[in-house]
Amino acid sequence: MACEETRTVETRTAMSPTERGTAPATHTPETAPGAGRTRAWATRLVVVGIVLSALNLRPAITSLGALLEEVRDGLGMSGSVAGLLTSVPPLCFAVFGVTAPRLARRFGAAAVVCAGMAAITAGLLIRPFAGGTAGFLAASALALMGIAVSNVLMPVIVKRWFPDRVGSMTGLYSMALALGTSLAAAVTVPLTDAMGGSWQSGLAVWAVIAGAAVLPWLPLVRDRGSAPAQSQDRPAKAQHAPVTQQAPVTQQAPVTQQVPVRITRSRTAWALAVFFGLQATAAYITMGWMPQIFRDAGVPAGTAGVLLAVTMVMGVPLAFVIPRVATRLPQQGPIVLVLGVCGLAGYAGLYLAPAAGAWAWALLLGVSNCAFPLALTMVGMRARSGPGVAQLSAFAQSTGYLISIPGPLLVGVLYQRSSGWGLPIALMAALMVPQMVVGFLAGRDRTVEDEAATR
């Protein structure tokens, strides 16, 4: 018996690596019984988490836009201070978004997004009852901090869990984001009226949905991104390699992830950052001020909120279609130009006949605002690796949101100084031209890793 056991051990030792890899008794953590079911459930949780998180990335902003006049009256804000309030989102996104990759490396992307959803919940619940402009701004900043880190990490999570479905998953994420944006714009005023006309209650109700978005991430808090990312991101040869060749690949993966890309050496990264900043400028001006433009033109408050919802809801179907189309094209510049032309037409309509053609202008600006899912898609396409996407996402979004900060504030100042919307709308239209130029450059078929290595 001992000799037979010895021969059995010797036989297993003499087996080829391929034969050992197919031996029934050999199990790695990824091939152990039940591991496939665990990964399947984790993947489903990630999908639910992505959708619920995306639903909560804009209601903090669009719900405020729908009630901006009531908030201004309740807190005693001037037009300039209200312009500052509409500039807080990009400021927070720029300041806090840049910390997201470092936090994700230390705690894991899922844990950071979970904390981000909790921060959104707390901020939305506190800010209507904080008392005074300063407290309102501080609580808003807390919610926007959670949005900022989640904004940056969503493309990273998509790239890690769904490397072969970046376009479709980005489309799903963008569609949910647009749905949450439009839903908050459409129903905030009716909800406020149903709850007795209190703008505090109308803003606080959105904390409920944000709280629900925390739940899917809780089982994934301990995930550090090792198994799915390395399993799915490996080249085909690594996946089918013998067992003895897989261990070095697994050991080298963390080292590879720690090698930073010199992102500032990439012209495409800069073009994408400026494109992101200009489209964010247009989006936050639209979300913060478009209802007021319509209300000043004689449109009732409820209808103005619905018009903003129409603008935002255009992103629901288009945010799913555009990323899928973009990933099938070698260059995304033509899509950038089409969206820009729609934006110019919408601003021209707001200037010439804001009330008469309100629905048409809302539709055109809704199409133009789909530059956001296009920018997210290009973030995933302009870098080859997960770490590269994380760096590019943080750089493009943080730099872009810094660029977008003056826009909403300047619109508020111009509106107050000129006592009308002519100059602010002219500014919006003028910014659309460089957005089209840099977007075309960012859409070229190249990667930031290649550009950074050759400069």
Side-chain angles (χ1 to χ4, degrees), residues 136-309:
F136 190 92
L137 287 172
S140 296
L142 176 61
L144 294 167
M145 177 180 65
I147 296 174
V149 295
S150 302
N151 269 337
V152 171
L153 293 180
M154 280 299 158
V156 179
I157 289 174
V158 168
K159 184 78 169 180
R160 186 178 88 78
W161 285 85
F162 310 98
D164 299 326
R165 290 179 285 166
V166 171
S168 59
M169 289 306 300
T170 301
L172 178 65
Y173 155 70
S174 302
M175 185 171 65
L177 189 149
L179 180 61
T181 305
S182 58
L183 187 67
V187 306
T188 295
V189 172
L191 279 175
T192 302
D193 294 338
M195 291 184 289
S198 168
W199 62 265
Q200 290 92 340
S201 300
L203 292 181
V205 71
W206 296 104
V208 177
I209 301 178
V214 177
L215 303 179
W217 298 107
L218 291 176
L220 301 168
V221 163
R222 294 185 179 181
D223 175 67
R224 291 295 184 269
S226 56
Q230 293 175 10
S231 173
Q232 293 175 0
D233 285 342
R234 285 177 187 157
K237 291 182 179 179
Q239 290 183 2
H240 299 290
V243 174
T244 54
Q245 296 178 8
Q246 287 185 5
V249 174
T250 304
Q251 292 171 3
Q252 291 175 3
V255 178
T256 303
Q257 291 181 358
Q258 292 175 3
V259 177
V261 177
R262 295 185 177 180
I263 205 78
T264 56
R265 291 189 175 187
S266 169
R267 293 176 181 175
T268 298
W270 280 107
L272 188 53
V274 176
F275 175 66
F276 199 99
L278 291 175
Q279 68 81 28
T281 300
Y284 288 109
I285 290 173
T286 299
M287 287 186 284
W289 289 108
M290 199 175 81
Q292 194 65 48
I293 294 175
F294 286 128
R295 291 177 74 167
D296 288 351
V299 177
T303 304
V306 173
L307 286 167
L308 177 59

Side-chain angles (χ1 to χ4, degrees), residues 80 94 290 328 341 362 430 453:
S80 298
M290 199 175 81
R328 287 167 170 76
V341 169

Side-chain angles (χ1 to χ4, degrees), residues 56 60 88-89 92-93 96 115-127 130 134-150:
N56 287 281
V88 168
C92 290
F93 294 167
F96 298 115
M117 293 300 111
I120 295 171
T121 305
L124 291 179
L125 192 61
I126 293 171
R127 75 172 180 178
F136 190 92
L137 287 172
S140 296
L142 176 61
L144 294 167
M145 177 180 65
I147 296 174
V149 295
S150 302

